[in-house]
Amino acid sequence: MTGGGLTLAVENLRTHFFTRAGVVRAVDDVSFSVDRGQVLGLVGESGSGKTVTGFSVIGLVDPPGRVVDGRILFNGRDLAALPEAEWRKLRGAKIAMIFQDPMMTLNPVLRIETQMVEAVLAHENIGREEARKRARDALGQVGIPSPDERLRAYPHQFSGGMRQRVAIATAFINRPDLVIADEPTTALDVTIQAQILHEAQKLCRDTGTALIWITHDLTVVAGLADHICVMYAGRVVEAGEIDAVLDRPLHPYTSGLIGSVPSRNKRGRELDQIPGMTPSLLNMPSGCAFRARCGHADAACDSAPGITAPMPARAIRCHHPLLEPAV
Amino acid sequence: MSDSASPAPYIDLRRIGKRFVKSLDVAARIARHLGSSVREEVVHAVDEVDLAIRPGEVVGLVGESGCGKSTLGRMVAGILEPSEGSYFYKGRDIRTLDAPEARDMALRIQMIFQDPFASLNPRLRVKDIIGEAPRVHGLVGRANVDAYVDDVMLRCGLDPEFKRRYPHQFSGGQRQRIGIARALAVNPDLIVCDEAVAALDVSIQAQILNLFMRLREELGLTYLFISHDLGVVEHISDRIVIMYLGRVVESGPTEDLFDSPNHPYTQALLQEVPRLDQRHAKFSAIKGEIPSPLDPPPGCHFHPRCPHATARCAEERPILREIAPGRRSACHLNEGAV
């Protein structure tokens, strides 16, 4: 995944939370990269560290959490030790984020116009009228009808799907190089989700923005992403091109996740469930974190597996990759 | 939805409806007295719906938020009283049941809720959550409650060792199992599952779905499975009912319905379900938003978003008609001459 178009390269990122109950290794040695105009799907279940990874990349990890190690190379520049003043120039201008709940991210007492214009004026020295024009165009781009009127509205006057569009329009308004979307469609209905995916896909294609789409839903990533990173207990367990990973998963966890998705060719049959549940990050087992739930685990799994690349453009963290085609 | 060839339905709801009325406050009543045109707000959450469920069947009820699927589920479970229509339980109108019969029906139809965090009393131990109802209703003697609870817990994949714990000591998936155990403890025939797996992680969701299917085989249960997730519903249901803004738009056997959806809304919905085998998709997106149930469009509720809508669709409400054996759809397009 290297090349001239590399937007973001995260190397050996570790974000830990220093709580009274102990150190939580929410992100533990995570590496991935995203090219210009590409979509990376960051998939994991709750507690896998996918959201904290996103927050680390945009510098929003709050105490007691801290990025303790690793590099975040954004357009070649390391962000890991960036002072807050520098972050402010970057955030919203070059890197933007879309959150899960648009009701929480829009200010309920300000008009949409005020919030969007503020986002423009914070980073650019242009007139208010011009900023307003840009906000209107951005709303139009995400398919909001009569954007001129809608700019004057308050967030509560929008439906959930419309609010998420406003959030997306705001994220893309300064033409960022990278947008991080954290489960932006999880709270939405199917038809509205499809609309949002459509807008996000279009914007990335048109603007060359790289997109990190964080989700627990493999089916959304299957349709949207170019590359996929599967996270488990703070680590990337498998990464690669979307088709390669979904058609032929090498890690038992990825394979289990795919088997867990109900779909029509499995109708009425028992799903291949993964037994047990995600271990607590406070109390991680030694060795491979997936060991206790894995059907292939043996004595070798007592030591933590490193990253290997059994195939080109694939990375996997497992002692027993499923190299035999698993059907 | 009652086919002639199949056994008598376990429950049969006919032209059932539910209105929620927001009554006027004092100020609004005075304003109206003085000639203002304020009116009570009426939401027709469920509007003349027919639903029959036969013994042993799994019926999937699908719809987006605000379509009335939960309200319908709650009426089936007896938590909400219908405002119109009639409800037949084993062939008898429930209004004619006497008190013991009504209580028996209340036990026979149980419900499992979406949020495993909100639906369990945080101050009760698991053994009380599961054991209270069967004890109160005399299904099991006081001395045998402990063994009975163990049995139900094992059946739902819970370790009876943990029965003295409180709900907060369990994970989301285990709590959902407690909710299932609570429903099963009174030996129900029909379980209404209202988004019962929506709040769970994928791997846990698969475990719970497998549990539902196993319990169905072991105990001969009937389910009304309410969900917005078409993948889940398709996996578990024999028959599917699709709702839009308070009305049923289409129903039929799962495979037929997924192979050849008839109603334009169903077609749009199925097209937009993300699937694992669909890569680098071009999301096309059906236009528009779900209208407010406070002020639904006239005629066919779906016509403002429908690509095939005609003038008639804006005026006349389409009737749910049989289009093939076991298949029903409410669309004017099926009548040919539109």
Side-chain angles (χ1 to χ4, degrees), chain A residues 10 26 44 82 84-85 98 107 140 170 186 188 195 201 220 244 271 311:
Chain A
V10 171
L82 208 62
E84 183 55 28
I98 306 163
N107 188 330
T170 314
T186 306
L188 304 175
Q195 294 170 353
Q201 205 174 34
V220 166
L271 295 167
M311 288 178 198

Side-chain angles (χ1 to χ4, degrees), chain A residues 128-146:
Chain A
R128 177 162 282 276
E129 206 33 56
E130 205 183 329
R132 189 177 183 283
K133 209 174 131 251
R134 208 186 285 178
R136 190 196 59 203
D137 294 344
L139 282 189
Q141 257 178 8
V142 294
I144 291 184
S146 48

Side-chain angles (χ1 to χ4, degrees), chain A residues 44-47 50 159-162 165 186 188-198 201 205 216-220 222-226 242-244 246-247 253 257-278 293, chain B residues 63-66 69 171 174 177 198 200-211 213-214 217 228-239 254-255 258-259 265 268-269 272-290 305:
Chain A
E45 298 186 279
S46 36
K50 57 191 192 301
S159 66
M162 282 294 179
R165 280 169 206 249
T186 306
L188 304 175
D189 281 316
V190 186
T191 56
I192 310 298
Q193 165 172 289
Q195 294 170 353
I196 298 291
L197 292 175
H198 172 70
Q201 205 174 34
R205 240 192 340 252
H216 68 280
D217 192 340
L218 269 180
T219 56
V220 166
L224 183 72
D226 303 298
I242 188 85
D243 293 311
L246 291 185
D247 290 338
Y253 176 66
L257 266 190
I258 294 170
S260 296
V261 177
S263 74
R264 58 181 333 177
N265 39 21
K266 289 181 254 180
R267 200 176 100 66
R269 274 193 278 146
E270 186 145 317
L271 295 167
D272 311 330
Q273 62 183 41
I274 306 172
M277 53 187 170
T278 325
R293 306 175 71 184
Chain B
E64 298 184 279
S65 40
K69 57 190 192 300
S171 68
Q174 283 175 312
R177 287 177 194 266
L200 306 175
D201 268 326
V202 190
S203 69
I204 309 297
Q205 173 179 301
Q207 294 175 1
I208 299 292
L209 283 176
N210 283 345
L211 175 65
M213 299 209 290
R214 211 188 66 224
E217 256 167 53
H228 70 282
D229 187 335
L230 279 158
V232 167
V233 168
E234 180 182 22
H235 182 76
I236 199 168
S237 314
D238 301 322
R239 199 155 60 83
T254 307
E255 248 156 82
F258 273 82
D259 284 345
Y265 177 63
L269 206 57
E272 282 169 27
V273 186
R275 292 182 183 284
L276 263 187
D277 47 12
Q278 181 196 40
R279 308 286 159 69
H280 313 288
K282 281 219 171 68
F283 296 97
S284 54
I286 165 176
K287 320 174 278 192
E289 300 256 312
I290 306 162
R305 304 175 76 187

